Amino acid sequence: MTMSPRVLLVLLVALLIQSSFLLDISSALQEGKTCIANRNCDTGLHCETCIANSGFRPRCSRTQPINPISKTKGLPFNKYSWLTTHNSFARLGEVSRTGSVILAPTNQQDSITSQLSNGVRGFMLDMYDFQNDVWLCHSFNGMCFNFTAFQPAINILREFQVFLEKNTEEVVTIIIEDYVKSPKGLTKVFDAAGLRKFMFPVARMPKNGGDWPRLDDMVRQDQRLLVFTSDSRKEATEGIAYQWNYMVENQYGNGGLKVGACPNRAQSKPMSDKSKSLVLVNHFPDAADLIVACKQNSASLLESIKTCYQAAGQRWPNFVAVDFYKRSDGGGAPQAVDMANGNLMCGCDNFAACKADGKCG
């Protein structure tokens, strides 16, 4: 049976499309390109579909921001922006170390070590007294239960210790939602994890809106771990900085997702209060949603950062906190951090265009 010219043309076009696609996946693909698996994508990208944003073809999307220290290490700490994960420990599919099924919500897809490898430098951890120890729990009413307990905090803290030992020019920030009431509870667990020697001292933290020490000075003195607590008493009793003495923070959850608005959370001073040198921008819903996260971490995140820039007295965020940081329809949270760093360092939205002399190329 002979084929008609029209059928032959259709087959030829299909063959050309298939050949082009196979050529694409035989080499590393760039952001936005169609992919089949993570291995098809270039470094710092992975392959995923964003159905929530009407994207039905898998594409390479970003998982890593550009490391800002690749451009300069000589700026004050408050002149950098860092990718931050909300409930960093609450990993999808995790089983409680108590042996119980976890009924609490989860907010991230990968381990702390993996997050560090992908350029995350800010970590939100919820710490509780539980089983005569300090545990990471995603719980309620200030109490931890078997079904809300993930693991002892020391397990996670040791991952930070290993990272800081191996990566001597990196600075990490831990922000604790603090329900620990046991005497010196935080001090004991940080000491046991071998992190005390890295902790940036409260005495060096600037008051009244002054610049922080330069990043290279923090590195030189090996004071590369910033720790903040939500418990105001701990600054005096344990030498751990009370978060809202040093930063402003917008409303978390649905209240922080309203278009065109950037209200402060109740515990924080107004976003416009420049007596606090650091700015934290939250952009995640009340209920974490793996499917919808790719949409929330895309265009609306960029707009939220711009809105909060104005609300914070034209200050770009130092911490950009999201759920499921790897999920987006393209640039995602890494792009948002790059935009903040670009503006902080050279006044342009594309951090990749910043030159070492601080000019936008």
Side-chain angles (χ1 to χ4, degrees):
M1 182 179 66
T2 59
M3 296 185 185
S4 69
R6 183 174 181 179
V7 172
L8 284 171
L9 180 61
V10 170
L11 288 173
L12 180 60
V13 170
L15 182 61
L16 287 171
I17 291 173
Q18 183 184 44
S19 298
S20 174
F21 183 68
L22 289 173
L23 180 64
D24 262 356
I25 64 173
S26 67
S27 57
L29 300 176
Q30 297 180 339
E31 179 185 328
K33 294 291 187 179
T34 300
C35 53
I36 295 177
N38 290 341
R39 65 178 179 274
N40 304 140
C41 300
D42 205 350
T43 302
L45 306 174
H46 74 160
C47 185
E48 70 169 8
T49 302
C50 185
I51 297 174
N53 223 17
S54 301
F56 295 99
R57 66 181 177 92
R59 298 189 301 169
C60 294
S61 57
R62 290 183 63 184
T63 60
Q64 300 175 5
I66 300 172
N67 192 336
I69 68 173
S70 65
K71 300 285 185 177
T72 179
K73 303 170 189 174
L75 298 177
F77 180 75
N78 55 301
K79 301 301 181 183
Y80 295 87
S81 185
W82 309 101
L83 179 56
T84 302
T85 48
H86 171 232
N87 287 334
S88 315
F89 63 94
R91 183 180 178 183
L92 190 69
E94 194 84 352
V95 175
S96 173
R97 295 302 193 275
T98 65
S100 171
V101 172
I102 294 177
L103 301 181
T106 53
N107 303 81
Q108 304 301 331
Q109 295 164 273
D110 54 347
S111 68
I112 295 295
T113 297
S114 174
Q115 292 174 39
L116 285 162
S117 178
N118 281 330
V120 177
R121 293 295 180 267
F123 299 83
M124 294 177 163
L125 306 178
D126 295 3
M127 295 192 181
Y128 290 73
D129 289 314
F130 185 64
Q131 294 187 347
N132 296 315
D133 202 349
V134 176
W135 276 61
L136 297 167
C137 304
H138 194 182
S139 202
F140 50 90
N141 294 335
M143 297 180 64
C144 185
F145 306 91
N146 283 345
F147 57 87
T148 63
F150 281 77
Q151 59 181 306
I154 194 168
N155 297 346
I156 292 289
L157 295 181
R158 282 175 174 156
E159 293 185 59
F160 292 118
Q161 190 271 340
V162 169
F163 177 82
L164 290 169
E165 291 282 4
K166 290 182 177 179
N167 299 274
T168 57
E169 295 189 340
E170 297 289 350
V171 176
V172 171
T173 301
I174 296 176
I175 301 169
I176 304 170
E177 187 171 322
D178 191 351
Y179 299 98
V180 177
K181 307 302 180 186
S182 55
K184 302 285 186 180
L186 290 186
T187 297
K188 291 174 182 177
V189 73
F190 274 84
D191 285 350
L195 288 174
R196 175 64 59 178
K197 64 180 181 179
F198 295 115
M199 289 176 66
F200 189 85
V202 170
R204 295 194 69 202
M205 295 184 179
K207 306 295 193 295
N208 300 318
D211 277 340
W212 283 67
R214 289 171 28 149
L215 198 69
D216 54 4
D217 178 68
M218 296 167 68
V219 169
R220 185 166 50 251
Q221 299 200 41
D222 210 20
Q223 297 171 340
R224 298 182 292 116
L225 177 63
L226 283 74
V227 182
F228 296 96
T229 173
S230 61
D231 186 335
S232 60
R233 298 166 297 181
K234 301 284 177 75
E235 185 159 331
T237 62
E238 299 192 50
I240 299 175
Y242 177 52
Q243 177 184 350
W244 295 291
N245 281 344
Y246 305 95
M247 72 175 72
V248 292
E249 178 182 359
N250 74 317
Q251 179 59 44
Y252 57 88
N254 293 347
L257 297 179
K258 295 178 181 177
V259 177
C262 185
N264 59 283
R265 67 177 290 171
Q267 297 88 341
S268 169
K269 294 291 186 182
M271 296 296 289
S272 58
D273 187 341
K274 292 189 176 181
S275 69
K276 318 302 177 190
S277 304
L278 300 174
V279 178
L280 166 61
V281 171
N282 296 304
H283 190 80
F284 49 82
D286 289 346
D289 189 322
L290 178 66
I291 303 300
V292 177
C294 65
K295 182 176 181 178
Q296 290 166 338
N297 291 347
S298 298
S300 66
L301 173 58
L302 297 177
E303 289 306 311
S304 179
I305 285 177
K306 292 175 183 177
T307 298
C308 288
Y309 163 76
Q310 296 295 341
Q314 298 189 328
R315 291 184 295 168
W316 294 98
N318 303 106
F319 304 99
V320 178
V322 297
D323 286 337
F324 301 115
Y325 75 96
K326 296 168 71 174
R327 298 275 292 147
S328 76
D329 68 354
Q335 180 184 351
V337 172
D338 285 355
M339 182 178 74
N341 274 320
N343 281 280
L344 282 164
M345 293 187 189
C346 67
C348 63
D349 284 344
N350 182 7
F351 180 54
C354 288
K355 297 181 179 179
D357 61 2
K359 295 181 180 179
C360 183

